[in-house]
Amino acid sequence: MPPSPTKTLKDAMSSPVREILTVQGQIIRDEAIKTVKVAQKDTKIRALTLEENGQTMELTLWRELSEQDLKIGQYIEVTHCLVSEWLRKKSLNSTRNTTIKAVQPKDMVVTGYVEALSMTDTHCEMCVKEDDIYKDFIVDLDMVRAQVQRYVEEAGTFNLQQLENMIVDKLLFPVKLVINGTTVISFELL
């Protein structure tokens, strides 16, 4: 079987119905296996929701694929799935050629504005608005302190409260984060 074209979930949402493609994403919802009637035969199905870079899409696994060992939080690649539409909502369905395998999440770049934050002794939780979508991240406090020191040298000597107060005073500042799965691997003030 030739490979199906790989698309992001965002591109899959705008793909025509009946297109066959490959997608990747993190499982964020997993429904129990249920049985439906197809041509008078009991057929097992299982609905998953995949998320990739803020875009979500439902994936229905049919027959033996519904019993595959998959868990919430897992990153998977699903080949040869069919774009479908039901009640004006696009989704994906497995086909007889579909394969599913665990994959490493891709690095994702998020560029936006910090709208809110909270600090602890080890990390900074921040809400970043990118393209009118709010996303929450946990950034290692040392990464934040290092970036602030680029602009305010004495920030290295600030206690936690002083650092947080200084940053909060500057809210709505631009940042760039590189994310792998749920881990922030790079943080930069723009």
Side-chain angles (χ1 to χ4, degrees), residues 25-177:
Q26 181 180 26
I27 300 171
I28 61 168
R29 190 175 59 90
D30 181 6
E31 291 185 6
I33 297 170
K34 56 186 167 188
T35 303
V36 297
K37 290 273 189 201
V38 177
Q40 271 60 37
K41 287 188 174 185
D42 285 346
T43 305
K44 291 181 181 181
I45 65 168
R46 177 180 176 192
L48 303 176
T49 302
L50 299 179
E51 189 271 334
E52 178 192 39
N53 200 11
Q55 178 69 56
T56 61
M57 196 167 192
E58 189 170 296
L59 166 67
T60 302
L61 302 177
W62 291 83
R63 298 173 182 80
E64 66 280 349
L65 285 174
S66 68
E67 297 174 341
Q68 196 156 348
D69 184 24
L70 300 168
K71 296 174 179 45
I72 290 178
Q74 193 173 18
Y75 287 83
I76 60 173
E77 177 181 81
V78 186
T79 68
H80 300 92
C81 48
L82 178 73
V83 177
S84 302
E85 189 170 9
W86 175 254
L87 301 174
R88 295 187 195 159
K89 185 176 178 192
K90 291 218 177 145
S91 63
L92 301 167
N93 282 280
S94 65
T95 66
R96 68 176 181 264
N97 297 313
T98 295
T99 61
I100 301 171
K101 68 178 181 181
V103 295
Q104 286 294 338
K106 297 177 192 169
D107 287 354
M108 175 179 78
V109 176
V110 174
T111 305
Y113 286 85
V114 174
E115 300 244 335
L117 63 84
S118 172
M119 290 188 176
T120 71
D121 291 337
T122 59
H123 65 270
C124 178
E125 296 177 38
M126 55 182 68
C127 177
V128 178
K129 183 178 180 184
E130 178 187 47
D131 299 328
D132 291 327
I133 297 172
Y134 292 92
K135 300 176 184 179
D136 293 322
F137 300 101
I138 296 176
V139 182
D140 184 90
L141 188 60
D142 291 337
M143 282 189 209
V144 174
R145 191 178 293 275
Q147 282 297 303
V148 172
Q149 279 184 269
R150 288 179 42 215
Y151 300 97
V152 181
E153 261 185 59
E154 61 271 11
T157 63
F158 286 0
N159 67 34
L160 186 63
Q161 190 62 53
Q162 291 170 316
L163 183 64
E164 185 173 16
N165 289 343
M166 188 194 80
I167 294 173
V168 167
D169 285 344
K170 307 284 187 218
L171 273 182
L172 298 178
F173 55 88
V175 294
K176 176 180 170 185
L177 301 102

